[in-house]
Amino acid sequence: MVDTVSQSAAIAISTSLSAAIALGEKVAVGIVMPSGWDAANLTFQGSADGGATFNNVYDSSGNELTVTAAASRYIYLDPSAFVGLNQIKVRSGTNGTPVNQTAARALTIVTR
């Protein structure tokens, strides 16, 4: 069995983007959503160079990687979407339409 590790991704009040989460040699496999969540899906920024540069994450079809989200859920993530990223940030909403959270939110990122 592969060990999983959980890390908090904090989105500050009145913002939409979390602080960076270091993945190291691991990949993201899930997100535990907080009970308080202003309705918004999730998108991501990733860094392949150790955190110097973050870019929005897109799938192989050129679409922004979007995960349907709601409060109090465990959301499975396809690990292949995060291979090669050293760090990620989680966004409430999309790049074009970010959704600021009305309170500080702590999402739990599960990696393996």
Side-chain angles (χ1 to χ4, degrees):
M1 175 174 243
V2 177
D3 291 331
T4 59
V5 175
S6 297
Q7 299 182 62
S8 181
I11 298 178
I13 188 172
S14 300
T15 66
S16 61
L17 191 62
S18 78
I21 303 299
L23 300 177
E25 298 293 320
K26 298 185 178 292
V27 292
V29 296
I31 297 178
V32 180
M33 296 296 295
S35 60
W37 181 252
D38 297 308
N41 290 331
L42 302 176
T43 57
F44 304 89
Q45 288 188 340
S47 174
D49 64 6
T53 306
F54 282 86
N55 299 102
N56 295 317
V57 177
Y58 290 83
D59 64 22
S60 61
S61 298
N63 301 305
E64 189 171 20
L65 179 63
T66 303
V67 175
T68 302
S72 301
R73 289 186 178 179
Y74 176 87
I75 302 168
Y76 165 80
L77 297 175
D78 182 351
S80 66
F82 301 95
V83 171
L85 296 176
N86 300 104
Q87 296 185 31
I88 61 170
K89 295 180 181 181
V90 182
R91 180 187 299 111
S92 169
T94 63
N95 179 46
T97 310
V99 176
N100 289 342
Q101 293 293 304
T102 57
R105 307 293 186 205
L107 294 75
T108 301
I109 308 303
V110 180
T111 61
R112 68 170 187 180

